[in-house]
Amino acid sequence: MSTTTNRVAVLHGVNFNILERRDPSFYGGKSLSELEHQISDWARALGLEPIFFQTNHEGEFVEYLHRLPDLGDAAIINAGAWTHYSRAIADALDVAGLPAVEVHLSDVDARDDWRKLSVFDGLVLAKISGKGAEGYREALELLAGELGSSA
Ligand code: DQA
């Protein structure tokens, strides 16, 4: 059994594999792998061990959440559009029972009305939105505090 308590799973949902092709005014123009490198550097500087996952398939996302308690100690979730309607993903996150932070690159509360609803409401420690990649750094800092990790 692992004794580490510093593993942070960073989960991306639908359409993040083509992040560099999405509207740069909302999403910054970086590829997912560039974003993950940045997150990885920030995580390690905080004494955290990042692991990354992305899928375009809702069932795979749910099944990853089922395995999550064996893989990580905390999670950062950007589920993309699923955020706004997938009760299945919210239920699976609830079962996983890990400290989690919801992150969005764009400011979801300043866009379409349907983006204002989040199925993760009440399940996450915080929702960080509209800060671009910096939002992930904030989420990592919050989780480092939660896990008692320091560099
Ligand atoms: C997003 C916001 C969602 O509304 C959208 O569907 C995405 C990306 C963000 O990071 O800003 O796919 O989660």
Side-chain angles (χ1 to χ4, degrees):
M1 205 182 87
S2 168
T3 52
T4 55
T5 54
N6 65 342
R7 299 162 305 170
V8 176
V10 182
L11 280 70
H12 284 100
V14 63
N15 289 320
F16 275 92
N17 60 313
I18 52 152
L19 187 58
E20 73 283 1
R21 287 165 51 195
R22 301 184 71 185
D23 187 339
S25 68
F26 288 125
Y27 304 121
K30 277 197 175 103
S31 68
L32 181 60
S33 100
E34 287 168 332
L35 179 63
E36 287 178 344
H37 271 103
Q38 178 72 87
I39 295 169
S40 187
D41 288 348
W42 285 330
R44 288 176 199 289
L46 287 163
L48 298 170
E49 182 67 39
I51 52 172
F52 296 99
F53 178 75
Q54 189 274 333
T55 181
N56 291 320
H57 303 278
E58 187 180 5
E60 280 181 8
F61 201 92
V62 164
E63 286 175 2
Y64 189 87
L65 287 170
H66 293 171
R67 296 196 300 278
L68 192 55
D70 292 329
L71 303 173
D73 305 297
I76 293 175
I77 299 200
N78 188 345
W82 289 330
T83 304
H84 313 301
Y85 65 86
S86 178
R87 302 277 170 202
I89 288 175
D91 278 352
L93 179 63
D94 195 15
V95 171
L98 299 180
V101 176
E102 172 184 351
V103 172
H104 300 283
L105 290 164
S106 67
D107 183 355
V108 284
D109 293 315
R111 298 179 63 191
D112 321 84
D113 277 351
W114 59 268
R115 292 183 204 272
K116 292 180 180 143
L117 186 147
S118 172
V119 295
F120 304 122
D121 222 11
L123 292 177
V124 289
L125 295 174
K127 169 176 161 179
I128 301 170
S129 151
K131 299 187 173 174
E134 275 295 318
Y136 292 84
R137 191 214 289 261
E138 243 179 66
L140 287 164
E141 282 169 357
L142 212 154
L143 291 172
E146 198 66 22
L147 297 172
S149 171
S150 59

